Amino acid sequence: MPLPPSPRTRSGVRRRSLIVSAAAAAALAGCSTGSDSAGTAGTLSVSTRARARAARDSRALLARYDAVLAVHPALAERLRPLRAEVAAHAAAFEEGSDPASASASARARATATPPAAGSSASPSAAASPAVPADAQAALAVLATAERTLADQRAKALLDVPGELARLLAGVAAAGAGHAYLLTKGDK
């Protein structure tokens, strides 16, 4: 024989459920597209600047990976997947930026294979970052760069709208994962 319902149990929608539902709906509406009335010129310029900076930072990190690969070709198998993700991040940030600043050649450069050891395939090879002679130290430098950039992006996502905030959050999480793999990957 089933027990009778408790006098405290109410049927129907509860106030707490309504509040949670309303909060979730507001959060989803706020994170949807940036094309609503909040998409003013000020927001657009903030987004454009944030995208440009994120693309520039990703390209600088990509150059750091290339420099490490040029000095330590034995790390190529370990670094190739991480470098490919960084190149994809740069392309993603460039894709949504102003068409004048994001050219097809920039995307092609970001997804190109890393230069071979000792080659000067890029005109910016002379400006490439210094790489420690020890492979483990070079990995530590890469991990620090990934972690620093991930922290910067995590802070920056608070100041940008919807889709760009989600992109920054995802790339920041990937950077934190890269830092972990670079420092703890062998253990």
Side-chain angles (χ1 to χ4, degrees), residues 50-109:
R51 267 190 187 279
R53 179 179 177 160
R56 185 176 59 246
D57 291 344
S58 290
R59 286 190 307 271
L61 185 59
L62 192 62
R64 188 173 294 275
Y65 270 93
D66 289 344
V68 169
L69 286 168
V71 174
H72 300 287
L75 295 174
E77 186 176 328
R78 182 174 179 182
L79 296 181
R80 190 173 296 120
L82 302 177
R83 184 203 178 276
E85 284 190 11
V86 171
H89 298 160
F93 287 122
E94 290 169 345
E95 182 178 296
S97 63
D98 185 36
S101 65
S103 65
S105 64
R107 283 191 289 280
R109 182 181 66 244

Side-chain angles (χ1 to χ4, degrees), residues 78 180-181 183-187:
R78 182 174 179 182
Y180 175 80
L181 291 173
T183 57
K184 311 269 192 283
D186 289 335
K187 296 179 182 176

